[in-house]
Amino acid sequence: MEMFKALSAVSVNSSLITVGPQKNPWLLLGVAVPFLLHIIVLYSGALGVPALGDSFGMVPLSLDNWITVLRWSAPIIIVDEVLKAIGRWVNKNKEEEMKQSRVPSL
């Protein structure tokens, strides 16, 4: 879940669609490395080192488990994008009010 949140946080105001995570290679690395380490530990038994997963008390996830993970984590991106859109709308309204208050009346 937090990795989706990190990818969504590329920009505070701009949408993930307009400013994709590929704009920040360090962020991609910072998400990819922990994810790969997690996968290695999860599936260490298949890699021939079952003690690694056992030492962390982890077992491999089934496809149903991964679907559940995605169902719970994907809405984070949606909620974050909605909050960014609301923030852009509020900022736009504030800017318009500021412009109107600066215009001298005749």
Side-chain angles (χ1 to χ4, degrees):
M1 279 195 228
E2 291 303 317
M3 291 181 197
F4 277 135
K5 180 69 175 165
L7 290 174
S8 179
V10 172
S11 172
V12 176
N13 294 323
S14 298
S15 172
L16 186 60
I17 296 167
T18 59
V19 180
Q22 70 276 8
K23 302 277 184 181
N24 187 343
W26 290 108
L27 175 65
L28 291 177
L29 188 66
V31 169
V33 169
F35 181 74
L36 290 173
L37 289 173
H38 190 93
I39 295 298
I40 289 169
V41 172
L42 269 177
Y43 297 103
S44 60
L47 298 173
V49 191
L52 184 60
D54 294 340
S55 66
F56 286 98
M58 298 175 78
V59 295
L61 297 178
S62 68
L63 180 60
D64 288 337
N65 295 138
W66 279 112
I67 291 171
T68 301
V69 168
L70 289 174
R71 282 184 182 158
W72 281 96
S73 58
I76 290 172
I77 293 175
I78 296 168
V79 168
D80 209 31
E81 290 299 310
V82 168
L83 291 174
K84 287 179 187 181
I86 292 169
R88 285 191 302 270
W89 180 76
V90 168
N91 287 339
K92 181 181 172 185
N93 286 343
K94 284 183 181 178
E95 287 175 11
E96 288 175 3
E97 288 175 8
M98 295 271 295
K99 285 179 185 177
Q100 289 176 356
S101 66
R102 289 186 202 155
V103 175
S105 57
L106 297 175

